[in-house]
Amino acid sequence: MIKELLQAAEKYFYKSEYQAAIDALQEASQAAQKIEDWESYVQAENDLGAIYNHLSQYPNALKHLHKAIKVGEEQLSEKYLQVAESHNVMGCVLTHENQYEQGEKHFTKAISIYQNKPNHLRELSNTYNNKGWFFGEMGKYVQSLHYHQLALKIRLESVKKRPNEVAQSYNNIGACYIFTGDTNKALTYYQKALNIWRELYGNQHAQTAIA
């Protein structure tokens, strides 16, 4: 039943039925806690944190992410993959809350776990991307550029390339160069992003228009 609830929550989320997703995850969390299925409990709490982050309900997000990290580290392992994801999302939430010092610590923890998981390079690249965004929010564009370049490197070298994620990195790098005053490099990377989005979505799609 717990697995089905977690799967249902994911489907609800992608259909933008957020309250239904929250209800399913809360039920899954309670059921998992009763039988001490800590892996499912941590996943449910992490996913609740991620949804509340998506909805900009940051206090609720922090509450569930704290639970996921605490139980994950105590009952599973500090190096457990779901704990890394909780640290990653926690870094994003704390950045939104302007708690930059704490946010950076969580991104660093997530990266340290993913760096030792060679089969999870996509998660590592996403965390690099988020840490790049984190430094951008602080106005530290040189550091932001560094992490966006790390994300791009992994995304370009991935066996299973995801063009939209590559385009995201190109676009983020272009933004960094704008803020550091290198307009020519910015335009080069923006053009690379635009070319990918045109190929994926055509000229009329909103993502292409924004680019």
Side-chain angles (χ1 to χ4, degrees), residues 51-187:
I51 289 176
Y52 281 120
N53 177 53
H54 180 76
L55 296 174
S56 301
Q57 297 181 25
Y58 303 124
N60 283 334
L62 290 172
K63 178 180 71 175
H64 289 286
L65 292 167
H66 277 303
K67 289 181 181 179
I69 291 171
K70 183 175 186 295
V71 173
E73 291 182 344
E74 289 177 353
Q75 301 295 336
L76 301 170
S77 166
E78 289 187 359
K79 301 300 182 183
Y80 184 61
L81 279 170
Q82 197 66 60
V83 173
E85 178 57 22
S86 296
H87 280 302
N88 183 27
V89 180
M90 181 74 87
C92 294
V93 175
L94 291 168
T95 302
H96 284 299
E97 292 281 86
N98 299 322
Q99 297 182 42
Y100 298 119
E101 184 176 352
Q102 291 301 314
E104 184 173 10
K105 288 179 181 178
H106 285 282
F107 284 129
T108 300
K109 286 183 179 180
I111 289 169
S112 70
I113 296 171
Y114 285 135
Q115 284 177 330
N116 292 302
K117 307 287 184 182
N119 293 327
H120 294 273
L121 290 176
R122 186 187 185 197
E123 289 87 348
L124 177 59
S125 73
N126 289 340
T127 309
Y128 281 147
N129 181 77
N130 289 343
K131 195 165 184 181
W133 163 76
F134 159 81
F135 278 118
E137 289 294 295
M138 294 180 67
K140 297 182 177 181
Y141 301 113
V142 173
Q143 293 95 320
S144 178
L145 176 61
H146 171 69
Y147 281 98
H148 285 309
Q149 287 173 330
L150 289 176
L152 176 63
K153 185 175 187 294
I154 292 174
R155 290 170 173 180
L156 287 174
E157 294 176 353
S158 174
V159 174
K160 185 178 180 181
K161 286 187 173 62
R162 293 174 171 82
N164 193 49
E165 293 180 2
V166 173
Q168 179 193 48
S169 288
Y170 282 142
N171 193 65
N172 291 339
I173 290 171
C176 288
Y177 279 124
I178 284 289
F179 284 112
T180 58
D182 197 331
T183 306
N184 289 333
K185 282 188 177 179
L187 290 174

